[in-house]
Amino acid sequence: PFTCPVLDLVLEPSLLHALTETGLETYTLQSGYHTVREAELVDDKYNACPPTSTPLCLIGLRPFMDVRSLLLAHSRLVLVTEPQGTASDDLWTVYSLHLPSHLDLYRDMLAVADMNVAAPHGFLQLLCEAHIIVRTWLHRLTWLRVMAPPGVVVTQEEVTEVTRSFEESCIKLAEHYITSRRSKEYKLAIPYFRMSKLPLMDVLNRLNIETPVPAGTLKLIEELVVDSSINDSIMNAEVADKIIDFLGERSLDNLVKLVILSPSLRNFKTKQSLDYIESDLRRMGDDFTVKAEYAVAAVMVGGIGDWLSMVSPVELSETVLKHYHLLFETSSVSSPPSQTFSEFALSL
């Protein structure tokens, strides 16, 4: 939707410059969104990318009268104008405009986004554009290092700076999405936090501590903790302590759920988890309504098997069938590995 009839167009990797009858207009491009999706596996679990439906953004509108020609050079945009009513070559004017670097453009977009934080839609659009600019440039640098065109040198410092900006944009997108009340949106915080390469403890420290805990925060903690069951190196005593205290004080249902789902969490601070769960079980026991998952979680972290006898047999059976993997342990001592009943199964 140009403001005037277009005389000429030139393309940068992330921008389109349109020369119109009244001046110069600069727009963002959607090519970067498609480039990322063609070059990467975007599964919205470990890797996410803003949608290709993100609207184009007008980021520059500069008046220039009587422009006759437009040329894109390596770091300049050149315009040549001829005043109307004269044919003298002496009166031609050349404008040499300095093109901002991809990092300058990225920082400018973040600055404008921060100014529009009260308008969520505009704020998100600018965040997405800033993210795509550094992400596509990172792809470009990788390609240039592999192809090594004559005269082009890509330094490690340049790659590091762009990578740092990319990870910063991932953090900003994650922190925006996690505040959403829509599950489709707050789930996107998970891949963006993963892409940011932030340690799990740093992610937890950035979360908004409030009660009731937002659904996005609970989903993020669940995904990161369950994922740590696959990679135990990202879970440590400090992280476990933070999660157990956070959920024990604010969302015991989620703590019980994670104790059952995550072997990594059960390896740390089991007494701390047990204290929270048994405290609630005693209150339930007074009302004769002990929840099956609470009793199972308590036994998994060292509680007495008597808690299981206080649960309805039907409810206990349903819960055990749902989490039947808890009944078995795989021994790696023998070859081939053998399965035996777990301590929980014996208590049951």
Side-chain angles (χ1 to χ4, degrees):
F2 302 106
T3 62
C4 285
V6 177
L7 304 177
D8 201 358
L9 292 170
V10 293
L11 293 174
E12 288 190 74
S14 299
L15 298 175
L16 176 148
H17 302 285
L19 178 63
T20 70
E21 292 180 350
T22 59
L24 182 66
E25 302 176 14
T26 301
Y27 296 86
T28 57
L29 290 173
Q30 287 189 330
S31 56
Y33 295 83
H34 296 283
T35 298
V36 171
R37 290 181 177 273
E38 289 176 5
E40 303 177 22
L41 175 61
V42 178
D43 58 6
D44 288 340
K45 182 175 176 65
Y46 293 95
N47 189 15
C49 178
T52 55
S53 59
T54 303
L56 297 177
C57 188
L58 173 64
I59 64 169
L61 184 60
R62 307 166 186 85
F64 287 97
M65 301 304 294
D66 305 318
V67 178
R68 293 290 178 265
S69 184
L70 178 66
L71 174 69
L72 178 65
H74 177 65
S75 61
R76 300 278 172 172
L77 191 62
V78 181
L79 296 84
V80 181
T81 68
E82 177 191 16
Q84 291 183 347
T86 177
S88 172
D89 290 344
D90 295 337
L91 295 178
W92 285 76
T93 303
V94 175
Y95 296 95
S96 180
L97 307 181
H98 177 70
L99 292 174
S101 70
H102 54 282
L103 286 179
D104 288 336
L105 196 57
Y106 166 75
R107 295 186 187 105
D108 286 348
M109 284 187 168
L110 286 189
V112 178
D114 289 338
M115 292 166 55
N116 289 272
V117 70
H121 181 73
F123 174 76
L124 177 60
Q125 183 179 354
L126 286 164
L127 273 188
C128 290
E129 293 289 1
H131 172 82
I132 287 295
I133 283 173
V134 290
R135 192 164 178 176
T136 52
W137 199 262
L138 198 55
H139 277 280
R140 184 176 176 83
L141 291 180
T142 303
W143 179 81
L144 289 174
R145 296 186 91 176
V146 172
M147 300 303 294
V152 176
V153 178
V154 178
T155 65
Q156 183 57 45
E157 289 75 13
E158 186 178 5
V159 174
T160 300
E161 189 174 13
V162 176
T163 301
R164 188 182 301 116
S165 297
F166 165 71
E167 292 173 352
E168 177 192 33
S169 69
C170 290
I171 293 171
K172 289 182 176 293
L173 283 168
E175 290 181 330
H176 172 80
Y177 280 122
I178 202 170
T179 60
S180 175
R181 295 184 178 181
R182 299 171 58 190
S183 64
K184 185 178 180 180
E185 292 183 354
Y186 67 62
K187 288 179 181 177
L188 287 173
I190 299 164
Y192 281 115
F193 269 128
R194 283 175 170 145
M195 292 157 60
S196 74
K197 299 294 193 299
L198 267 184
L200 185 51
M201 192 65 192
D202 290 350
V203 172
L204 295 174
N205 287 333
R206 285 177 172 269
L207 299 180
N208 187 14
I209 307 298
E210 58 184 59
T211 303
V213 183
T217 300
L218 292 175
K219 184 63 178 177
L220 173 68
I221 292 175
E222 177 186 330
E223 285 290 325
L224 294 180
V225 170
V226 171
D227 189 50
S228 72
S229 299
I230 302 170
N231 180 11
D232 287 338
S233 64
I234 68 174
M235 177 69 78
N236 56 46
E238 184 183 14
V239 169
D241 185 64
K242 178 89 172 178
I243 291 172
I244 292 168
D245 274 343
F246 181 87
L247 296 179
E249 297 290 341
R250 297 170 179 82
S251 182
L252 196 56
D253 281 349
N254 285 82
L255 176 59
V256 167
K257 182 178 181 180
L258 290 183
V259 164
I260 293 175
L261 291 178
S262 173
S264 297
L265 191 64
R266 294 198 298 269
N267 288 336
F268 297 100
K269 308 285 184 179
T270 52
K271 185 177 186 309
Q272 187 180 357
S273 297
L274 182 61
D275 288 344
Y276 279 117
I277 297 170
E278 285 196 330
S279 175
D280 206 69
L281 279 171
R282 293 187 185 95
R283 181 186 58 78
M284 292 181 191
D286 293 340
D287 300 329
F288 303 101
T289 56
V290 171
K291 295 180 182 177
E293 290 202 344
Y294 277 58
V296 169
V299 174
M300 292 297 298
V301 289
I304 58 174
D306 290 351
W307 289 119
L308 298 172
S309 65
M310 300 175 66
V311 182
S312 158
V314 173
E315 184 183 350
L316 182 58
S317 297
E318 291 175 349
T319 301
V320 171
L321 287 171
K322 182 180 177 182
H323 303 290
Y324 64 89
H325 62 281
L326 298 177
L327 298 173
F328 306 101
E329 289 178 351
T330 301
S331 172
S332 58
V333 177
S334 59
S335 182
S338 61
Q339 273 197 334
T340 59
F341 284 116
S342 64
E343 289 295 326
F344 169 72
L346 298 179
S347 296
L348 185 66

